[in-house]
Amino acid sequence: MQILRSLYNWTMELAKNPKAIWLLGCVSFIEAIFFPIPPDVLLIPMILANISKAWLYALVATIASVAGGVLGYLLGFIAYEQIAEPLLIALGKEAAMNLFANSINQNGFVIVLTAGVSPIPFKVVSIMSGFTKMQLSLFILSALLGRAIRFFIVAALLKYYGEKIKFFIEKYLGWLFLFFIILLVTGTIGLDFLWK
């Protein structure tokens, strides 16, 4: 936990840098492959420091994160055993790997979308999507939708509520997204069951 706390503090300092937008893009990109700290750690203080650029920051985080996800996908597709699997095991993501490997091709769109908006590790889903040969265009579409929902909602909340909403976002937003996705999936399954 000390290493994660140090990384968290380091990324908080990055938000104060004059070239923070490039750092946001870089952190968003590498977080989708291996970095353990989410882009929100930079996104939130950057938006609070310059509310007028909230949409730009959300767009940069979205595009960079999806681009990183595509690289993660390619790692899983091309070099799973050589690079991706040891990387995920080193990050302690073995349980998540097993979970997603078994279900990603059946429910790929929903899984990638869910990982895009929730605390589920996006890096695991992007790599496992490549490893299980999920259709790349479907991966990109669901990743783009999920990441855009997450980052633009964070931007909107900060733009309209400012500092008051910061604690809520940092602490609970990912879990609320996950809760709503579970409700959506449960409702869809329930409706599907009723129509059969």
Side-chain angles (χ1 to χ4, degrees):
M1 288 306 285
Q2 183 60 36
I3 292 172
L4 287 179
R5 174 55 57 187
S6 298
L7 281 171
Y8 178 85
N9 292 337
W10 176 72
T11 46
M12 287 299 284
E13 284 301 312
L14 290 178
K16 299 173 186 170
N17 190 303
K19 296 181 180 177
I21 194 162
W22 296 103
L23 296 170
L24 174 64
C26 183
V27 167
S28 300
F29 182 82
I30 63 174
E31 184 269 341
I33 309 163
F34 67 88
F35 195 58
I37 305 292
D40 311 68
V41 171
L42 270 177
L43 182 65
I44 292 167
M46 286 174 63
I47 291 173
L48 288 172
N50 194 345
I51 294 285
S52 66
K53 292 189 175 180
W55 307 129
L56 174 63
Y57 295 153
L59 181 64
V60 167
T62 300
I63 292 170
S65 183
V66 172
V70 169
L71 182 57
Y73 177 98
L74 293 174
L75 279 173
F77 190 84
I78 296 167
Y80 180 76
E81 290 177 4
Q82 300 84 359
I83 299 171
E85 185 178 33
L87 176 66
L88 291 176
I89 290 170
L91 291 169
K93 304 298 182 190
E94 213 164 349
M97 289 165 56
N98 294 331
L99 173 69
F100 294 120
N102 296 328
S103 61
I104 204 157
N105 279 332
Q106 296 166 350
N107 307 304
F109 184 85
V110 172
I111 289 172
V112 175
L113 177 67
T114 302
V117 299
S118 72
I120 293 171
F122 188 63
K123 61 192 79 39
V124 174
V125 173
S126 63
I127 289 170
M128 296 309 291
S129 295
F131 173 67
T132 60
K133 312 287 191 277
M134 179 180 177
Q135 187 179 351
L136 180 59
S137 59
L138 187 63
F139 170 79
I140 292 171
L141 177 64
S142 55
L144 191 59
L145 184 60
R147 294 268 104 170
I149 289 169
R150 177 177 177 150
F151 298 134
F152 278 90
I153 285 180
V154 168
L157 289 171
L158 288 171
K159 192 166 178 61
Y160 296 111
Y161 296 103
E163 191 73 36
K164 295 178 280 190
I165 199 80
K166 180 183 175 192
F167 175 78
F168 173 81
I169 290 172
E170 288 179 341
K171 196 82 173 163
Y172 302 111
L173 189 63
W175 293 108
L176 284 173
F177 275 133
L178 183 59
F179 173 73
F180 286 120
I181 292 289
I182 290 169
L183 283 179
L184 177 68
V185 170
T186 306
T188 304
I189 291 169
L191 285 173
D192 189 46
F193 178 76
L194 287 172
W195 289 108
K196 286 187 176 181

